[in-house]
Short mmCIF file of all heavy atoms in Angstrom, two decimals:
data_model
loop_
_atom_site.label_atom_id
_atom_site.label_comp_id
_atom_site.label_asym_id
_atom_site.label_seq_id
_atom_site.Cartn_x
_atom_site.Cartn_y
_atom_site.Cartn_z
N ILE A 155 7.52 -6.40 -4.19
CA ILE A 155 7.40 -7.42 -5.26
C ILE A 155 8.00 -6.83 -6.52
O ILE A 155 7.60 -5.73 -6.95
CB ILE A 155 5.93 -7.83 -5.48
CG1 ILE A 155 5.35 -8.42 -4.18
CG2 ILE A 155 5.82 -8.85 -6.61
CD1 ILE A 155 3.88 -8.82 -4.27
N GLY A 156 8.96 -7.55 -7.13
CA GLY A 156 9.72 -6.96 -8.22
C GLY A 156 9.39 -7.50 -9.60
O GLY A 156 8.90 -8.63 -9.75
N ALA A 157 9.64 -6.68 -10.61
CA ALA A 157 9.62 -7.11 -12.01
C ALA A 157 11.02 -7.61 -12.37
O ALA A 157 11.96 -7.49 -11.57
CB ALA A 157 9.22 -5.95 -12.91
N TRP A 158 11.18 -8.13 -13.58
CA TRP A 158 12.46 -8.78 -13.92
C TRP A 158 13.45 -7.87 -14.63
O TRP A 158 14.57 -8.28 -14.91
CB TRP A 158 12.23 -10.03 -14.78
CG TRP A 158 11.21 -9.89 -15.87
CD1 TRP A 158 9.94 -10.41 -15.86
CD2 TRP A 158 11.34 -9.20 -17.12
NE1 TRP A 158 9.28 -10.08 -17.02
CE2 TRP A 158 10.12 -9.34 -17.81
CE3 TRP A 158 12.37 -8.48 -17.73
CZ2 TRP A 158 9.89 -8.78 -19.07
CZ3 TRP A 158 12.15 -7.92 -18.98
CH2 TRP A 158 10.93 -8.07 -19.64
N ASN A 159 13.06 -6.65 -14.97
CA ASN A 159 13.96 -5.87 -15.83
C ASN A 159 15.11 -5.20 -15.08
O ASN A 159 16.19 -5.01 -15.65
CB ASN A 159 13.18 -4.86 -16.68
CG ASN A 159 12.34 -3.92 -15.85
OD1 ASN A 159 12.11 -4.15 -14.67
ND2 ASN A 159 11.89 -2.85 -16.46
N TYR A 160 14.88 -4.81 -13.82
CA TYR A 160 15.93 -4.15 -13.04
C TYR A 160 15.97 -4.76 -11.63
O TYR A 160 15.63 -4.11 -10.64
CB TYR A 160 15.68 -2.63 -12.98
CG TYR A 160 16.08 -1.94 -14.26
CD1 TYR A 160 15.23 -1.89 -15.35
CD2 TYR A 160 17.36 -1.39 -14.39
CE1 TYR A 160 15.62 -1.30 -16.55
CE2 TYR A 160 17.75 -0.78 -15.57
CZ TYR A 160 16.88 -0.74 -16.64
OH TYR A 160 17.27 -0.15 -17.81
N ILE A 164 15.34 -2.44 -8.35
CA ILE A 164 14.01 -2.49 -7.73
C ILE A 164 14.14 -2.92 -6.26
O ILE A 164 13.47 -2.38 -5.38
CB ILE A 164 13.08 -3.44 -8.53
CG1 ILE A 164 12.80 -2.86 -9.93
CG2 ILE A 164 11.76 -3.66 -7.79
CD1 ILE A 164 12.06 -3.80 -10.89
N TRP A 167 15.37 0.26 -4.57
CA TRP A 167 14.43 1.40 -4.60
C TRP A 167 13.29 1.19 -3.61
O TRP A 167 12.71 2.13 -3.10
CB TRP A 167 13.86 1.59 -6.02
CG TRP A 167 14.77 2.30 -6.96
CD1 TRP A 167 16.12 2.46 -6.85
CD2 TRP A 167 14.39 2.96 -8.18
NE1 TRP A 167 16.60 3.16 -7.93
CE2 TRP A 167 15.57 3.48 -8.76
CE3 TRP A 167 13.17 3.14 -8.85
CZ2 TRP A 167 15.56 4.19 -9.97
CZ3 TRP A 167 13.17 3.84 -10.05
CH2 TRP A 167 14.36 4.36 -10.60
N LYS A 182 10.01 -10.08 -2.64
CA LYS A 182 9.91 -11.24 -3.55
C LYS A 182 10.32 -10.78 -4.94
O LYS A 182 9.60 -10.03 -5.59
CB LYS A 182 8.49 -11.80 -3.59
CG LYS A 182 8.44 -13.12 -4.37
CD LYS A 182 7.08 -13.47 -4.88
CE LYS A 182 6.72 -12.79 -6.16
NZ LYS A 182 7.58 -13.08 -7.34
N PRO A 183 11.48 -11.24 -5.41
CA PRO A 183 11.90 -10.86 -6.76
C PRO A 183 11.02 -11.56 -7.80
O PRO A 183 10.30 -12.50 -7.48
CB PRO A 183 13.33 -11.39 -6.88
CG PRO A 183 13.69 -11.98 -5.57
CD PRO A 183 12.44 -12.16 -4.77
N SER A 184 11.14 -11.11 -9.04
CA SER A 184 10.49 -11.84 -10.13
C SER A 184 11.10 -13.23 -10.23
O SER A 184 12.32 -13.41 -10.06
CB SER A 184 10.72 -11.10 -11.44
OG SER A 184 10.43 -11.96 -12.52
N GLU A 185 10.28 -14.21 -10.54
CA GLU A 185 10.77 -15.58 -10.70
C GLU A 185 11.72 -15.71 -11.89
O GLU A 185 12.46 -16.68 -12.01
CB GLU A 185 9.59 -16.56 -10.84
CG GLU A 185 8.64 -16.29 -12.01
CD GLU A 185 7.52 -15.29 -11.69
OE1 GLU A 185 7.73 -14.41 -10.81
OE2 GLU A 185 6.45 -15.38 -12.32
N GLY A 213 9.74 -16.95 -5.62
CA GLY A 213 8.51 -17.60 -6.07
C GLY A 213 7.76 -16.80 -7.12
O GLY A 213 8.11 -15.68 -7.44
N THR A 214 6.71 -17.40 -7.59
CA THR A 214 5.83 -16.77 -8.58
C THR A 214 4.76 -15.97 -7.83
O THR A 214 4.84 -15.77 -6.61
CB THR A 214 5.13 -17.86 -9.40
OG1 THR A 214 4.35 -18.65 -8.48
CG2 THR A 214 6.11 -18.76 -10.13
N GLY A 215 3.71 -15.58 -8.58
CA GLY A 215 2.58 -14.91 -7.95
C GLY A 215 1.95 -15.74 -6.84
O GLY A 215 1.33 -15.20 -5.92
N ALA A 216 2.16 -17.07 -6.89
CA ALA A 216 1.60 -17.94 -5.85
C ALA A 216 2.24 -17.68 -4.49
O ALA A 216 1.66 -17.98 -3.45
CB ALA A 216 1.79 -19.41 -6.25
N VAL A 217 3.46 -17.13 -4.48
CA VAL A 217 4.11 -16.73 -3.22
C VAL A 217 3.78 -15.26 -2.93
O VAL A 217 3.57 -14.87 -1.77
CB VAL A 217 5.63 -16.95 -3.29
CG1 VAL A 217 6.35 -16.30 -2.11
CG2 VAL A 217 5.93 -18.44 -3.34
N GLY A 218 3.68 -14.46 -4.00
CA GLY A 218 3.34 -13.03 -3.81
C GLY A 218 1.97 -12.85 -3.18
O GLY A 218 1.80 -12.03 -2.27
N ALA A 219 1.00 -13.62 -3.65
CA ALA A 219 -0.39 -13.40 -3.20
C ALA A 219 -0.57 -13.56 -1.68
O ALA A 219 -1.15 -12.68 -1.05
CB ALA A 219 -1.33 -14.31 -3.99
N VAL A 222 0.78 -10.56 0.19
CA VAL A 222 -0.02 -9.33 0.09
C VAL A 222 -1.20 -9.37 1.05
O VAL A 222 -1.55 -8.35 1.65
CB VAL A 222 -0.51 -9.15 -1.37
CG1 VAL A 222 -1.49 -8.00 -1.48
CG2 VAL A 222 0.68 -8.93 -2.30
N LEU A 232 4.54 -2.83 -5.38
CA LEU A 232 4.71 -3.74 -6.53
C LEU A 232 5.30 -2.98 -7.70
O LEU A 232 4.89 -1.87 -8.01
CB LEU A 232 3.33 -4.27 -6.96
CG LEU A 232 3.30 -4.99 -8.33
CD1 LEU A 232 3.89 -6.39 -8.22
CD2 LEU A 232 1.89 -5.07 -8.90
N THR A 233 6.25 -3.61 -8.38
CA THR A 233 6.64 -3.18 -9.71
C THR A 233 6.27 -4.31 -10.66
O THR A 233 6.77 -5.44 -10.50
CB THR A 233 8.16 -2.89 -9.78
OG1 THR A 233 8.43 -1.81 -8.87
CG2 THR A 233 8.59 -2.46 -11.16
N GLY A 234 5.38 -4.01 -11.59
CA GLY A 234 4.93 -5.07 -12.49
C GLY A 234 3.95 -4.52 -13.51
O GLY A 234 3.85 -3.31 -13.71
N SER A 235 3.22 -5.42 -14.13
CA SER A 235 2.30 -5.02 -15.19
C SER A 235 0.97 -4.52 -14.61
O SER A 235 0.66 -4.78 -13.45
CB SER A 235 2.04 -6.23 -16.10
OG SER A 235 1.44 -7.25 -15.34
N VAL A 236 0.18 -3.86 -15.44
CA VAL A 236 -1.13 -3.36 -14.99
C VAL A 236 -2.05 -4.51 -14.55
O VAL A 236 -2.67 -4.42 -13.48
CB VAL A 236 -1.77 -2.47 -16.06
CG1 VAL A 236 -3.20 -2.09 -15.66
CG2 VAL A 236 -0.93 -1.21 -16.28
N THR A 238 -1.34 -7.41 -13.22
CA THR A 238 -0.90 -7.86 -11.88
C THR A 238 -1.22 -6.77 -10.86
O THR A 238 -1.66 -7.07 -9.74
CB THR A 238 0.60 -8.18 -11.88
OG1 THR A 238 0.85 -9.17 -12.88
CG2 THR A 238 1.08 -8.68 -10.55
N GLY A 239 -1.00 -5.52 -11.24
CA GLY A 239 -1.30 -4.40 -10.33
C GLY A 239 -2.75 -4.43 -9.87
O GLY A 239 -3.03 -4.18 -8.70
N LYS A 241 -4.71 -6.97 -9.54
CA LYS A 241 -4.94 -8.06 -8.57
C LYS A 241 -4.32 -7.72 -7.21
O LYS A 241 -4.94 -7.91 -6.16
CB LYS A 241 -4.27 -9.35 -9.08
CG LYS A 241 -5.06 -10.07 -10.14
CD LYS A 241 -4.42 -11.42 -10.42
CE LYS A 241 -4.01 -11.50 -11.87
NZ LYS A 241 -3.13 -12.58 -12.21
N VAL A 242 -3.09 -7.20 -7.24
CA VAL A 242 -2.38 -6.96 -5.98
C VAL A 242 -3.04 -5.78 -5.24
O VAL A 242 -3.20 -5.83 -4.01
CB VAL A 242 -0.88 -6.68 -6.27
CG1 VAL A 242 -0.16 -6.20 -5.03
CG2 VAL A 242 -0.23 -7.95 -6.83
N GLU A 256 3.95 0.49 -9.17
CA GLU A 256 4.78 0.96 -10.30
C GLU A 256 4.48 0.03 -11.46
O GLU A 256 4.99 -1.09 -11.51
CB GLU A 256 6.27 0.89 -9.93
CG GLU A 256 6.70 1.90 -8.89
CD GLU A 256 6.75 3.31 -9.42
OE1 GLU A 256 6.54 3.53 -10.64
OE2 GLU A 256 6.96 4.22 -8.61
N LEU A 257 3.62 0.47 -12.37
CA LEU A 257 3.09 -0.45 -13.38
C LEU A 257 3.57 -0.11 -14.78
O LEU A 257 4.52 0.64 -14.97
CB LEU A 257 1.57 -0.49 -13.26
CG LEU A 257 1.06 -0.75 -11.82
CD1 LEU A 257 -0.45 -0.72 -11.75
CD2 LEU A 257 1.59 -2.07 -11.28
N GLY A 258 2.91 -0.65 -15.76
CA GLY A 258 3.37 -0.54 -17.14
C GLY A 258 3.02 0.77 -17.80
O GLY A 258 2.41 1.66 -17.19
N GLY A 259 3.39 0.89 -19.06
CA GLY A 259 3.10 2.12 -19.79
C GLY A 259 3.10 1.93 -21.30
O GLY A 259 3.40 0.84 -21.81
N VAL A 289 11.99 -1.53 -20.62
CA VAL A 289 11.95 -0.46 -19.61
C VAL A 289 10.52 0.05 -19.54
O VAL A 289 9.92 0.37 -20.56
CB VAL A 289 12.91 0.68 -19.96
CG1 VAL A 289 12.90 1.77 -18.89
CG2 VAL A 289 14.33 0.17 -20.17
N CYS A 290 10.00 0.13 -18.31
CA CYS A 290 8.58 0.48 -18.14
C CYS A 290 8.24 1.87 -18.68
O CYS A 290 7.16 2.09 -19.21
CB CYS A 290 8.22 0.41 -16.67
SG CYS A 290 9.34 1.37 -15.66
N GLN A 337 9.42 -13.92 -23.19
CA GLN A 337 9.30 -12.50 -23.52
C GLN A 337 9.64 -12.27 -25.00
O GLN A 337 9.00 -11.46 -25.67
CB GLN A 337 10.22 -11.67 -22.61
CG GLN A 337 10.05 -10.17 -22.73
CD GLN A 337 8.64 -9.70 -22.35
OE1 GLN A 337 7.90 -10.39 -21.69
NE2 GLN A 337 8.27 -8.51 -22.81
N GLU A 387 1.29 -2.31 -24.33
CA GLU A 387 2.69 -2.33 -23.93
C GLU A 387 3.35 -3.59 -24.50
O GLU A 387 2.86 -4.69 -24.30
CB GLU A 387 2.81 -2.35 -22.41
CG GLU A 387 4.25 -2.30 -21.93
CD GLU A 387 4.39 -2.37 -20.41
OE1 GLU A 387 3.77 -3.25 -19.80
OE2 GLU A 387 5.13 -1.54 -19.85
N PHE A 389 6.98 -4.12 -24.35
CA PHE A 389 8.11 -4.42 -23.48
C PHE A 389 9.23 -5.14 -24.23
O PHE A 389 9.73 -6.18 -23.81
CB PHE A 389 7.65 -5.24 -22.26
CG PHE A 389 8.26 -4.72 -20.99
CD1 PHE A 389 8.07 -3.40 -20.59
CD2 PHE A 389 9.04 -5.52 -20.18
CE1 PHE A 389 8.64 -2.91 -19.42
CE2 PHE A 389 9.63 -5.05 -19.02
CZ PHE A 389 9.42 -3.74 -18.64
N LEU A 415 2.51 6.63 -17.50
CA LEU A 415 3.77 6.55 -16.75
C LEU A 415 4.71 7.70 -17.10
O LEU A 415 5.12 8.48 -16.26
CB LEU A 415 4.44 5.20 -16.99
CG LEU A 415 5.69 4.92 -16.18
CD1 LEU A 415 5.48 5.19 -14.70
CD2 LEU A 415 6.16 3.48 -16.36
N PHE A 453 9.60 9.28 -9.01
CA PHE A 453 9.38 8.41 -10.17
C PHE A 453 8.08 7.63 -9.96
O PHE A 453 7.89 7.01 -8.91
CB PHE A 453 10.54 7.43 -10.36
CG PHE A 453 10.36 6.56 -11.57
CD1 PHE A 453 10.74 7.02 -12.82
CD2 PHE A 453 9.76 5.31 -11.47
CE1 PHE A 453 10.54 6.23 -13.95
CE2 PHE A 453 9.56 4.52 -12.60
CZ PHE A 453 9.95 4.99 -13.84
N SER A 459 -1.04 3.59 -14.80
CA SER A 459 0.39 3.22 -14.65
C SER A 459 0.85 3.21 -13.21
O SER A 459 1.99 2.82 -12.94
CB SER A 459 1.26 4.16 -15.47
OG SER A 459 1.09 3.90 -16.85
N GLU A 464 8.17 6.52 -6.21
CA GLU A 464 9.41 6.01 -5.63
C GLU A 464 10.45 7.10 -5.74
O GLU A 464 10.29 8.08 -6.48
CB GLU A 464 9.86 4.74 -6.38
CG GLU A 464 8.89 3.60 -6.13
CD GLU A 464 9.42 2.22 -6.48
OE1 GLU A 464 9.94 2.05 -7.59
OE2 GLU A 464 9.30 1.31 -5.63
P1 NAD B 506 4.36 -9.11 -13.84
O1 NAD B 506 3.21 -8.22 -13.58
O2 NAD B 506 4.13 -10.34 -14.61
O3 NAD B 506 5.01 -9.58 -12.46
C1 NAD B 506 5.49 -8.66 -11.51
C2 NAD B 506 5.69 -9.34 -10.18
O4 NAD B 506 4.42 -9.65 -9.61
C3 NAD B 506 6.45 -10.68 -10.27
O5 NAD B 506 7.34 -10.75 -9.18
C4 NAD B 506 5.33 -11.71 -10.13
O6 NAD B 506 5.77 -12.94 -9.59
C5 NAD B 506 4.41 -11.00 -9.16
N1 NAD B 506 3.01 -11.44 -9.16
C6 NAD B 506 2.29 -11.93 -10.20
N2 NAD B 506 1.03 -12.17 -9.81
C7 NAD B 506 0.93 -11.85 -8.50
C8 NAD B 506 -0.11 -11.88 -7.53
N3 NAD B 506 -1.34 -12.30 -7.83
N4 NAD B 506 0.16 -11.46 -6.28
C9 NAD B 506 1.38 -11.01 -5.94
N5 NAD B 506 2.42 -10.96 -6.82
C10 NAD B 506 2.20 -11.37 -8.08
O7 NAD B 506 5.45 -8.17 -14.51
P2 NAD B 506 6.84 -8.59 -15.17
O8 NAD B 506 6.57 -9.31 -16.43
O9 NAD B 506 7.72 -9.20 -14.15
O10 NAD B 506 7.46 -7.15 -15.49
C11 NAD B 506 7.12 -6.40 -16.60
C12 NAD B 506 6.07 -5.35 -16.24
O11 NAD B 506 6.54 -4.56 -15.17
C13 NAD B 506 5.80 -4.39 -17.38
O12 NAD B 506 4.42 -4.14 -17.47
C14 NAD B 506 6.55 -3.14 -16.97
O13 NAD B 506 6.05 -1.96 -17.53
C15 NAD B 506 6.38 -3.18 -15.49
N6 NAD B 506 7.42 -2.36 -14.84
C16 NAD B 506 7.08 -1.19 -14.24
C17 NAD B 506 8.04 -0.39 -13.67
C18 NAD B 506 7.70 0.92 -13.00
O14 NAD B 506 8.47 1.39 -12.20
N7 NAD B 506 6.56 1.53 -13.30
C19 NAD B 506 9.38 -0.80 -13.67
C20 NAD B 506 9.70 -2.01 -14.29
C21 NAD B 506 8.72 -2.78 -14.87
#
Side-chain angles (χ1 to χ4, degrees):
I155 300 178
W158 43 255
N159 56 345
Y160 282 83
I164 293 171
W167 281 20
K182 189 201 82 62
S184 164
E185 59 274 28
T214 61
V217 169
V222 172
L232 168 76
T233 298
S235 61
V236 173
T238 303
K241 281 188 240 167
V242 171
E256 291 288 354
L257 308 178
V289 181
C290 52
Q337 188 62 19
E387 183 182 48
F389 225 58
L415 186 50
F453 182 84
S459 289
E464 293 197 310

